[in-house]
Amino acid sequence: MLSPDTRRGGHVFAVHGRIELLRHEAAVVPTGPEFGFSETWRAVVGDDAERWRPTGWGRDGVRHGRGGEKVWFLDVSRPSGARLDWLLDGVREVLTEIAATVRPVPQRLLPLVVLPVVGIGAGGFGDDRGAVIRGLLDVADEVVGAGDVDIAFVTPDAAVHGAVQSLRRERGRWPLDDGLLARAESMAARARDGELALFFGAGVSIPAGLPSWPQLLHACLEACPELSDDSFAGLHPLDQGELLRRRLDDRFGHIVAEHSTASQHALGHALLAELGCTQTVTTNYDRCYELAAEAADAAPVVMPWQRPYGGRPWLLKLNGDVGHPESIVLARRDFVRHETMARPMASVLESMMLTRHLLIVGASLTDDNVLRLAHEVADVHPQAGDHPEPFGTVLDVEPPGVRQELWTGELDWISMPGEQLAERARALDVFLDAVAAHTTTDASWVLDERFEALLEDDDTEIARRAQALGEALPDRSPWRDLRAELDRHGAGRREPRSVGPGA
C-alpha cells in the first residue's frame, strides 16, 4: 500500500527522455537575464516566445515568472560569484509558485511538473553536476512534501539520469509499503537480468489523453449519425464496430487512427521504456511507447512491419498501428480474421510467456485471443510442488476481485492501492518509478569528476585513482578493453553533448 503519511503528498519521478514529448501540466524552462534560451525549447514554449516574457524580466530582481498556460521561465545563468544556493533558491521559488497554481487534468490525481536538470549546461554549474543534482532533489522533495504536486526530473543524458537514479535509490523515498517496494525491487532484478518481457494495453495510453474503445466507436459513429438509435446501442461493441466498418469502408481505419494519434506520451510509457525490455507486445494502436523508448535511446523495431535483427529491442503490435490504418482491429470480423491469420504473432507472445517473466500493465485480460494464448501456456507451464512459479505478473488498477482467482498459480496479481481509480493509477506510476529506478544500471557518471559530489569520501579517492589509471593505460592490446570499460564509467572527462529540452 501507499504509506499513510505520504498518501496525499506529491512524489519526485525521474525520466530518461525529452520534456516536449512527456505530457505534463507545467514545465520549467531555463533561460537567461536577456530572456534567451536554446532553439530546442521552441517545442515547449512555441515560436512566439517573446510574448510570454514576464513583466519586469531583466530588472527589479525578476528572474522567474509564468509564460502562458503551462510554462514557467527561470533565469539560471550564473552571475559572477554566485553560489549554488542562488540557483536552488530560484528553483524553489518557481516550483512553489507552480504547486500553488496548477491543477491536474482529469486523468491524473495530482498535476505533473516537468523539470530539467537546470544549471549544468549554459547555466554555469556544469563542473559540479553532482552538487546540482543533490540540491535539486532536495528542493523537489521539499516542494512535493509541502503540496499536492508531482515533479518529474527529465533528462535525455544517460549519465545525468543514471546519477539521479543512483541518488534516489540511496534515499529510497517511494511512498510504498515494504511489501510493494520489495516486489518492485524483485521486478527490477528480473529486468536487469534480462528475464522480463512486457505486455501493455490501453490503460497505459489513456493518461496520454487517448480514447478508450467505446470512445473510438463513438468517434466513428459521429460519421454515421443515421446509426444513432437504440438498436445500434443494443449491439455488442464488436458488432457495433463491424457495422461501422461496413458503412465507413476505408474511412473506418483512418478515423480510428486519427483519434489514436498523440504527439506526447504519458508518464507510464516513459517508465516502462526504462525497464529495458527487449521483447514487448501491445494491443494499442498508438505510438506513445515508441516516442518514449526513442527518447530514452532504446527505439524498438516495430513488428510485424519491421524485422528484428541483432540485439535490437522489438515491439509487436497485435491489433494494428495508426501508421497502417488497414491493420486496425476493432470490429467483429477483424477479431475473427485476426485469430486465424495472426498465428505467427500469437506464437511470439506464447514464446514470451514460456521463456520470460511477462509483466502485464494496463490490460484487462478480457481479449479472447490473448486469454486463449495465456491458457494454452498455463497448460504446459512447468508446475512444481504446491507453489508453482507464475509465468507473469499483472499490475492492476481495478479493485481486487474474484477475477484474480482464475489465475492463481499462473499470474502473480498486484492490485494497486487506493479508493478511487485516479489514486490507484497514480500508485501504478509510483510503483513503476521504483522499478525503473532499481533497473537503471548506467554508471557512466561514476568516474566523471563533475559528479564527485555524489560519492562518499572513500569512493571519491577510489574514483580518482581509477581516472588516473584510465589516463595511464595505452590504447592497445591487451589494455584497450580495460580502458574502454573505465571510459564507460566516465573516466574520460566528456564535454556535454548538444541535446534538446530537458538538458
Side-chain angles (χ1 to χ4, degrees):
M1 295 178 61
L2 292 173
S3 301
D5 58 338
T6 54
R7 185 183 298 275
R8 292 300 302 156
H11 178 65
V12 179
F13 295 86
V15 171
H16 184 198
R18 306 183 74 88
I19 279 178
E20 78 272 25
L21 297 179
L22 175 59
R23 187 178 173 91
H24 57 268
E25 280 70 73
V28 178
V29 175
T31 182
E34 302 301 322
F35 203 62
F37 46 81
S38 168
E39 284 296 314
T40 56
W41 283 102
R42 298 291 178 184
V44 176
V45 177
D47 293 330
D48 190 16
E50 185 62 30
R51 68 189 174 115
W52 301 124
R53 180 194 290 263
T55 302
W57 190 271
R59 64 180 188 274
D60 304 325
V62 175
R63 58 179 295 226
H64 68 80
R66 189 171 186 174
E69 184 179 354
K70 287 189 170 186
V71 176
W72 268 258
F73 296 103
L74 174 65
D75 179 3
V76 301
S77 295
R78 183 179 192 174
S80 178
R83 302 179 63 179
L84 180 57
D85 286 345
W86 175 87
L87 175 67
L88 299 180
D89 287 344
V91 174
R92 181 181 293 105
E93 290 173 8
V94 75
L95 288 178
T96 300
E97 182 178 319
I98 292 172
T101 305
V102 179
R103 296 294 175 264
V105 294
Q107 295 92 349
R108 286 191 58 83
L109 182 67
L110 299 180
L112 181 65
V113 182
V114 289
L115 175 69
V117 183
V118 297
I120 63 173
F125 293 91
D127 287 339
D128 205 0
R129 296 182 172 204
V132 172
I133 290 171
R134 188 179 294 278
L136 289 176
L137 280 175
D138 286 340
V139 170
D141 282 338
E142 176 186 327
V143 172
V144 300
D148 289 338
V149 64
D150 288 330
I151 296 174
F153 278 100
V154 184
T155 175
D157 189 293
V160 173
H161 181 257
V164 170
Q165 296 290 47
S166 177
L167 183 56
R168 295 175 73 231
R169 289 194 300 271
E170 178 184 312
R171 295 181 172 185
R173 295 177 183 174
W174 283 274
L176 304 170
D177 67 19
D178 291 344
L180 267 183
L181 185 57
R183 298 178 93 166
E185 292 175 352
S186 175
M187 194 66 60
R190 288 185 182 274
R192 291 195 306 271
D193 292 341
E195 298 176 4
L196 197 65
L198 175 62
F199 180 96
F200 66 92
V204 177
S205 291
I206 288 176
L210 291 172
S212 62
W213 189 351
Q215 290 171 327
L216 285 174
L217 290 174
H218 180 74
C220 293
L221 183 60
E222 289 182 337
C224 296
E226 70 276 9
L227 291 179
S228 298
D229 58 26
D230 291 340
S231 62
F232 178 83
L235 294 175
H236 186 281
L238 286 177
D239 294 321
Q240 290 180 348
E242 180 62 29
L243 185 55
L244 287 166
R245 180 183 285 284
R246 294 186 182 208
R247 290 289 183 95
L248 295 171
D249 198 20
D250 291 343
R251 288 191 297 156
F252 179 79
H254 288 280
I255 292 173
V256 174
E258 178 184 355
H259 285 81
S260 300
T261 300
S263 59
Q264 292 180 311
H265 59 77
L267 180 60
H269 294 111
L271 299 175
L272 289 174
E274 289 183 33
L275 302 186
C277 296
T278 58
Q279 300 180 2
T280 303
V281 173
T282 184
T283 53
N284 295 356
Y285 321 126
D286 63 77
R287 294 182 172 179
C288 291
Y289 179 83
E290 293 96 302
L291 284 175
E294 183 175 3
D297 298 325
V301 171
V302 181
M303 298 167 61
W305 299 278
Q306 296 173 304
R307 181 178 179 180
Y309 57 89
R312 286 282 303 275
W314 51 259
L315 168 67
L316 174 62
K317 308 193 85 166
L318 286 178
N319 287 350
D321 177 84
V322 294
H324 304 272
E326 74 285 351
S327 69
I328 287 176
V329 176
L330 189 63
R332 174 75 70 182
R333 185 166 296 185
D334 294 334
F335 275 86
V336 173
R337 184 172 63 249
H338 189 67
E339 181 177 1
T340 58
M341 298 180 62
R343 190 65 205 180
M345 292 193 293
S347 298
V348 171
L349 180 55
E350 284 185 317
S351 174
M352 290 167 59
M353 295 181 191
L354 284 168
T355 61
R356 305 287 178 98
H357 187 86
L358 190 66
L359 177 62
I360 303 171
V361 186
S364 61
L365 288 184
T366 57
D367 184 316
D368 286 344
N369 290 328
V370 174
L371 284 174
R372 175 178 54 79
L373 297 177
H375 282 299
E376 287 178 0
V377 169
D379 286 342
V380 300
H381 194 266
Q383 304 292 314
D386 296 330
H387 302 285
E389 175 73 17
F391 63 81
T393 296
V394 177
L395 304 183
D396 196 4
V397 296
E398 295 299 326
V402 296
R403 185 161 52 106
Q404 302 177 15
E405 189 176 339
L406 293 171
W407 297 97
T408 300
E410 296 160 356
L411 290 173
D412 185 14
W413 210 284
I414 304 178
S415 295
M416 294 296 116
E419 298 178 1
Q420 303 297 325
L421 176 59
E423 187 177 350
R424 295 191 294 270
R426 181 174 174 276
L428 174 60
D429 282 343
V430 173
F431 182 89
L432 290 175
D433 180 60
V435 178
H438 288 86
T439 299
T440 302
T441 58
D442 187 281
S444 57
W445 59 274
V446 175
L447 301 181
D448 187 332
E449 61 187 19
R450 296 171 294 180
F451 294 89
E452 272 193 0
L454 296 178
L455 300 176
E456 300 294 336
D457 291 342
D458 292 346
D459 292 335
T460 298
E461 181 58 31
I462 295 172
R464 289 176 178 174
R465 292 179 182 179
Q467 289 167 357
L469 176 61
E471 293 171 358
L473 288 174
D475 187 18
R476 58 178 172 79
S477 182
W479 309 110
R480 185 174 291 119
D481 289 346
L482 177 56
R483 178 175 174 174
E485 190 62 39
L486 290 171
D487 284 345
R488 280 193 289 271
H489 284 72
R493 180 186 174 96
R494 299 154 298 158
E495 291 302 316
R497 56 189 174 90
S498 176
V499 291

